Amino acid sequence: MPETDAALRTLAHNVRTARTRAGLSLDELGRRAQVSKGALVALEKAQGNPNFATLVRLADTLGISVSALLEGRTERRVRVVAADALTPLWSGPRGGEARLMLTTSGPAPVEVWRWRLEPGEEYPSHPHQAGVVETVSVTSGRMTLVVDGTEHPVEAGQTATFDGDTSHTYRGAGTGTCHLIMTVHLPPGPGGTV
């Protein structure tokens, strides 16, 4: 699996670089991100298999995007990404998935995600850092967006936005598959992009 090994090496490099840039020890990063020091040591040695929640906590703590942890540098002005070329970062028990398509560069990057949720399937997210704004645009089907315990139905052709610094859940609704595009707008931060 050379591709997996290369991805782990890129992740290890990016975590170590972002941690060093932020002036954090392994202990302090682990404490803030709620990740064990052993897991961080393994990660920075390109070992292990961190889950999606761990990557989100590390990115939030380091003030960078998830894709900044996963991607090598790109020098191209235009980047075209096919969904089937990317491994899902979340897979649901009923076949749903989430793929991080790309992240824009600059002082306030935007992540672009493609999600598929089956009826009743849900992804609960922990609160992100202050200043993160999420937007969901349903392209087909229906979903229920739960923000801070309140349910909001979102149907095909509708878009919802909310502050991501509170608990939130994406849930497939109705009888068919829900497809949506989610963007995560990250605030300018001291970590910058990797």
Side-chain angles (χ1 to χ4, degrees), residues 50-129:
N51 65 30
F52 178 54
T54 298
L55 294 177
V56 170
R57 286 195 308 270
L58 286 171
D60 280 350
T61 302
L62 293 167
I64 61 176
S65 66
V66 172
S67 65
L69 291 177
L70 299 173
E71 294 179 348
R73 291 210 176 270
T74 179
E75 302 300 326
R76 298 177 298 223
R77 294 181 73 142
V78 175
R79 194 168 26 142
V80 177
V81 182
D84 61 357
L86 302 169
T87 302
L89 291 179
W90 172 80
S91 296
R94 298 180 182 166
E97 62 183 26
R99 295 174 192 255
L100 177 57
M101 300 303 295
L102 58 87
T103 301
T104 62
S105 60
V110 176
E111 297 178 348
V112 179
W113 293 79
R114 185 177 299 269
W115 283 76
R116 184 178 74 230
L117 293 168
E118 297 301 326
E121 191 169 49
E122 65 180 37
Y123 175 77
S125 178
H126 74 285
H128 300 295
Q129 64 180 320

Side-chain angles (χ1 to χ4, degrees), residues 147-159:
V147 178
D148 205 19
T150 302
E151 294 187 359
H152 306 272
V154 187
E155 299 185 13
Q158 293 183 324
T159 299

Side-chain angles (χ1 to χ4, degrees), residues 108-194:
V110 176
E111 297 178 348
V112 179
W113 293 79
R114 185 177 299 269
W115 283 76
R116 184 178 74 230
L117 293 168
E118 297 301 326
E121 191 169 49
E122 65 180 37
Y123 175 77
S125 178
H126 74 285
H128 300 295
Q129 64 180 320
V132 170
V133 175
E134 291 194 22
T135 302
V136 292
S137 296
V138 176
T139 58
S140 68
R142 294 174 32 206
M143 72 171 290
T144 301
L145 172 64
V146 184
V147 178
D148 205 19
T150 302
E151 294 187 359
H152 306 272
V154 187
E155 299 185 13
Q158 293 183 324
T159 299
T161 188
F162 62 96
D163 293 332
D165 61 354
T166 187
S167 62
H168 51 282
T169 299
Y170 297 141
R171 182 183 311 132
T175 58
T177 302
C178 175
H179 293 271
L180 64 106
I181 302 296
M182 175 188 71
T183 59
V184 180
H185 304 261
L186 303 165
T193 57
V194 176

Side-chain angles (χ1 to χ4, degrees), residues 1-10 46:
M1 292 188 174
E3 291 174 358
T4 302
D5 293 342
L8 279 173
R9 284 192 303 274
T10 297

